[in-house]
Amino acid sequence: AMSLLSFARLLTKQADGVVQRHKPAHSVALVGAPFSRGQKRRGVDHGPAAIRNAGLLERLSGLGCQVYDFGDLIFTQVPNDEVYNKLVKYPRSVGLASQVLADAVSGAVAAGHSCVTVGGDHSLALGSISGHTRQYPHLSVIWVDAHADINTPLTTQSGNLHGQPVSFLLRELQDKMPQLPGFSWLKPCLSSSDIVYIGLRDVDPAEHYILKNYDIQYFSMRDIDRLGIQKVMERTLDHLTGRRQSPIHLSFDIDAFDPSLAPATGTPVLGGLTYREGMYIAEEIHNTGLLSAVDLVEVNPLLVATQEQANATASLAVDVIATCFGQTREGAHVVYDDLPTPSSPDESDSEEQVRI
Ligand SMILES: [Mn+2]
């Protein structure tokens, strides 16, 4: 049932004073992607439930969004999913899950929705970005993360595919990519100038080589310290939308935030985004009017000492998504065109007289 507040926000007054329902600001498809095989730690498949329990649907409805909940995808276990090259883990499972998600995101965007994918680990971005580009071949990707996730299967040290999705997506890297079992469906769909990173602070040597040699725009935490988040967002959006106004895909890893704010995640790194920097990023992306899909990944409610820490991390994820769809810190007014005035001037006169 719609809350009174959300109903009130759907109402607006026309110039002639007639109150009528107006078209919601966004129609949002919500896709749960409880997938964990892109990494080793257990629990990240509980991310979608944690984020739902933190009130995601209610918050989006409260903003006037029409939310279509696609539920949680079901990922089938691929039997005998042996490591590739003695290192890369669960290639067939990651490949299949991403294929399933690509179909879901593509379908949601084709139906006219903005698509929110809640994970699950970051290997899912293979699927969400591939699916998104089926509808919009030219995307701008903003990747907010402590890590660059751009190792290739031949440079990875951990073997975890959640540290590699970007390498599969970039056209320029394809001569460095081996054919992984389970990935034959995947076509590279981004150019290195289509992506900007924000929040980096734990980058492997091979990843740093790729960022530098393939001319990929990134803003590390040091850059945020140096420039401030306002300039970082200005430059990010100039870089991506300066030439053409492509739809934006935001891939937001909760580990971009400082671990004091987002402790429930698999690979926390000290010195991350503040709450205010995170909200500013999401506000600026909303303000472009170009946001078309969001991934919110790596919330792992099992990796914390207390339930409060898990709840705080999931609430932070909800704040990011809500801000992407129009929640503001300065407030907003849809229902007011005017302030209430005292109904009768005589009444206030008579009160005045009584006081005298
Ligand atoms: Mn990541």
Side-chain angles (χ1 to χ4, degrees):
M2 192 181 275
S3 75
L4 198 60
L5 176 65
S6 59
F7 184 68
R9 284 180 184 222
L10 289 173
L11 299 175
T12 189
K13 261 188 185 171
Q14 286 182 317
D16 58 7
V18 177
V19 176
Q20 66 156 210
R21 254 182 118 132
H22 73 97
K23 201 168 167 284
H26 294 279
S27 88
V28 176
L30 176 60
V31 179
F35 185 71
S36 63
R37 292 300 202 184
Q39 48 89 67
K40 275 170 287 192
R41 311 190 69 173
R42 53 182 280 273
V44 75
D45 47 327
H46 295 268
I51 295 170
R52 286 174 186 281
N53 291 339
L56 178 59
L57 278 153
E58 296 79 359
R59 285 279 288 285
L60 289 171
S61 307
L63 291 164
C65 295
Q66 198 81 55
V67 185
Y68 299 84
D69 189 352
F70 284 43
D72 288 355
L73 297 175
I74 293 162
F75 300 113
T76 45
Q77 183 95 7
V78 178
N80 305 317
D81 194 0
E82 276 125 36
V83 293
Y84 168 81
N85 201 20
K86 299 190 180 127
L87 183 62
V88 179
K89 297 172 191 77
Y90 306 114
R92 297 162 194 83
S93 302
V94 171
L96 181 61
S98 295
Q99 199 172 3
V100 168
L101 179 59
D103 291 342
V105 172
S106 173
V109 173
H113 308 303
S114 302
C115 189
V116 175
T117 301
V118 291
D121 73 60
H122 219 163
S123 65
L124 290 163
L126 282 167
S128 62
I129 293 176
S130 303
H132 197 182
T133 57
R134 277 182 215 160
Q135 303 304 324
Y136 296 114
H138 298 291
L139 279 187
S140 296
V141 175
I142 301 177
W143 194 282
V144 184
D145 203 318
H147 312 88
D149 296 350
I150 198 169
N151 270 296
T152 77
L154 304 179
T155 69
T156 175
Q157 290 159 17
S158 69
N160 297 327
L161 277 160
H162 75 157
Q164 307 170 46
V166 182
S167 69
F168 290 90
L169 297 170
L170 291 189
R171 294 186 190 97
E172 290 87 343
L173 272 174
Q174 290 318 297
D175 61 330
K176 310 296 181 197
M177 299 295 287
Q179 185 60 57
L180 241 59
F183 282 69
S184 57
W185 64 275
L186 184 71
K187 291 179 195 71
C189 51
L190 296 177
S191 297
S192 51
S193 58
D194 297 334
I195 183 167
V196 175
Y197 286 99
I198 300 172
L200 301 183
R201 58 194 184 279
D202 184 7
V203 177
D204 295 339
E207 293 185 301
H208 190 253
Y209 174 89
I210 293 170
L211 294 179
K212 287 293 183 191
N213 282 273
Y214 291 83
D215 240 343
I216 296 169
Q217 179 75 256
Y218 63 88
F219 298 97
S220 65
M221 286 310 302
R222 175 181 155 76
D223 295 319
I224 295 174
D225 288 343
R226 198 164 55 87
L227 298 167
I229 195 66
Q230 186 271 332
K231 278 223 163 51
V232 165
M233 287 314 294
E234 197 176 287
R235 292 189 189 180
T236 295
L237 296 171
D238 272 358
H239 179 83
L240 290 173
T241 63
R243 297 162 304 162
R244 65 171 168 240
Q245 302 270 296
S246 306
I248 292 175
H249 186 112
L250 171 62
S251 205
F252 200 114
D253 189 321
I254 202 73
D255 75 19
F257 279 109
D258 193 79
S260 58
L261 297 169
T265 193
T267 49
V269 189
L270 282 177
L273 296 175
T274 64
Y275 184 85
R276 287 159 61 175
E277 287 163 342
M279 293 309 118
Y280 189 80
I281 292 168
E283 286 165 354
E284 287 299 289
I285 292 173
H286 170 76
N287 288 344
T288 63
L290 294 170
L291 183 62
S292 175
V294 180
D295 313 319
L296 199 303
V297 297
E298 300 284 356
V299 172
N300 186 333
L302 300 193
L303 293 181
V304 281
T306 67
Q307 186 61 41
E308 286 68 34
Q309 290 177 308
N311 295 346
T313 309
S315 291
L316 186 60
V318 171
D319 285 348
V320 170
I321 298 168
T323 302
C324 284
F325 290 98
Q327 180 173 296
T328 67
R329 289 178 286 174
E330 65 166 45
H333 66 281
V334 176
V335 282
Y336 292 104
D337 333 307
D338 201 2
L339 288 175
T341 46
S343 52
S344 154
D346 299 342
E347 265 174 43
S348 32
D349 282 355
S350 59
E351 273 177 42
E352 199 88 351
Q353 284 164 7
V354 171
R355 231 183 290 151
I356 291 166

